[in-house]
Amino acid sequence: MNISLFNIQKYSLHDGSGIRTNIFFKGCPLRCMWCANPESQNFYSELLWDEKKCIGCNACFRVCPKHMVEPMEECNQCLLCTDVCCTGARKRAGEQYDVETVMEKIQQDELFYRLSGGGVTFTGGEPFGQPAALAELAERVKQKGITTAIETCGHVKWDVIQSMLPLLDIILYDVKLMDSDRHKKYTGVDNAQILSNLEALARICPDKITVRVPLIGGVNDSAENLKELMKWMKKNNLKKIDFLPYHRMGESKYLRLSRNEPDKFAIPEKCDLENIKRNFIAQGFHAGIFG
């Protein structure tokens, strides 16, 4: 079975315990305005174009069915140009991998997993968006005695999540906003299914779950939103939370995908992040800041 991925990142330290290999699944049901990996959003492969690396050899022009040098709206994403580009100016965002190939890459670092208490993290994009491929890969990883983690936005059918639980050791569950209307404004979907799934998970395996909050200045860093989140987590017996401060390092990818520049949000101040962390710790939570 093939899996659509846009990256395999080794030696990751912030997506579960120990040293990990992150498997980035392509495709996501959300469209977060602050997304740092816009190449993760669509399920199909896309063209990433870096004009600065182009040397004007016109190899792309010769193979392009529409004879275009610069990607435009008319581009049909055939990606033939990526096969002939000698400078890396044109790259594919997204490749098809078979499970065996991914397993070979994962097993290369088995020693690091054992020594550090690490393992494999399925992330994206949204890993649950490719449920059959995810299940096959996760089962193979578990058969090798390697621990598994998943990072999910939670906007998937409950049956998909439930069927995967025996194969998952750690669940990193994103919570963006507590207000449903604001959630829809900034991500494209409301949060009803997301919170419903998290509530169901909390009843079954609360100790596996770490809530993750991408902290976006002026969007979800208000005292009101954080108070509601804290209240909701207490009600559902969830104790672990990580804050991931917003950054702008992914902005150039939008232009390389021939998309409009994303909206810019405020970057949270370090002192504000520390205050938020202290407030959650004072209320009995295990809180951390990553990124």
Side-chain angles (χ1 to χ4, degrees), residues 5-273:
L5 307 176
F6 69 94
N7 195 13
I8 298 176
Q9 182 183 48
K10 295 190 173 187
Y11 214 89
S12 176
L13 301 173
H14 302 303
D15 298 294
S17 57
I19 297 170
R20 312 193 70 80
T21 295
N22 285 359
I23 310 297
F24 288 83
F25 283 65
K26 203 162 184 332
C28 182
L30 271 59
R31 291 295 181 268
C32 301
M33 290 185 179
W34 53 82
C35 182
N37 291 317
E39 75 276 27
S40 75
Q41 294 174 349
N42 292 321
F43 284 90
Y44 53 84
S45 298
E46 300 169 87
L47 174 63
L48 277 170
W49 182 54
D50 189 345
E51 185 178 9
K52 295 178 182 178
K53 293 182 179 179
C54 181
I55 58 173
C57 69
N58 279 337
C60 55
F61 177 84
R62 289 191 289 272
V63 300
C64 177
K66 299 190 176 183
H67 299 298
M68 292 190 298
V69 175
E70 294 187 12
M72 300 178 183
E73 289 183 3
E74 293 83 4
C75 176
N76 64 6
Q77 299 291 318
C78 70
L79 304 183
L80 292 173
C81 58
T82 65
D83 297 327
V84 298
C85 182
C86 63
T87 65
R90 295 166 181 270
K91 293 182 177 179
R92 291 172 182 259
E95 297 278 357
Q96 293 292 318
Y97 292 80
D98 61 76
V99 170
E100 193 60 44
T101 299
V102 180
M103 282 303 302
E104 288 174 3
K105 293 180 180 293
I106 288 171
Q107 289 177 254
Q108 289 169 359
D109 290 344
E110 278 189 270
L111 178 62
F112 295 119
Y113 309 147
R114 289 200 299 271
L115 293 177
S116 69
V120 174
T121 299
F122 309 116
T123 183
E126 174 51 63
F128 285 127
Q130 300 179 57
L134 172 63
E136 183 175 338
L137 180 59
E139 188 168 0
R140 289 286 303 277
V141 172
K142 292 295 288 181
Q143 286 172 354
K144 293 294 181 180
I146 301 171
T147 62
T148 58
I150 192 166
E151 182 173 17
T152 177
C153 72
H155 191 70
V156 295
K157 292 181 179 180
W158 167 246
D159 290 348
V160 173
I161 297 176
Q162 187 178 34
S163 66
M164 281 293 300
L165 290 182
L167 300 174
L168 300 172
D169 300 304
I170 300 169
I171 301 171
L172 307 172
Y173 200 103
D174 289 3
V175 176
K176 275 80 171 180
L177 281 151
M178 297 306 294
D179 181 85
S180 189
D181 290 337
R182 283 175 59 79
H183 194 284
K184 186 170 184 177
K185 173 184 176 181
Y186 288 106
T187 72
V189 301
D190 64 42
N191 63 7
Q193 187 174 44
I194 293 168
L195 294 181
S196 174
N197 286 340
L198 182 53
E199 187 175 8
L201 279 172
R203 289 195 297 268
I204 298 170
C205 54
D207 293 338
K208 285 187 178 183
I209 303 168
T210 297
V211 171
R212 300 196 110 185
V213 181
L215 209 60
I216 317 300
V219 176
N220 63 352
D221 61 342
S222 67
E224 179 183 5
N225 182 66
L226 295 171
K227 182 179 179 181
E228 286 300 311
L229 173 60
M230 188 182 292
K231 180 180 176 182
W232 196 94
M233 289 181 65
K234 283 184 175 181
K235 176 184 175 183
N236 289 280
N237 196 33
L238 295 173
K239 299 295 185 183
K240 292 177 284 188
I241 184 167
D242 292 339
F243 294 101
L244 287 69
Y246 165 72
H247 60 76
R248 296 175 181 165
M249 290 185 287
E251 288 185 359
S252 64
K253 295 180 182 179
Y254 287 82
L255 296 179
R256 293 177 63 197
L257 288 163
S258 300
R259 300 185 195 175
N260 294 329
E261 287 191 48
D263 292 340
K264 289 180 172 59
F265 299 95
I267 297 173
E269 298 289 342
K270 185 175 181 180
C271 59
D272 294 333
L273 289 167

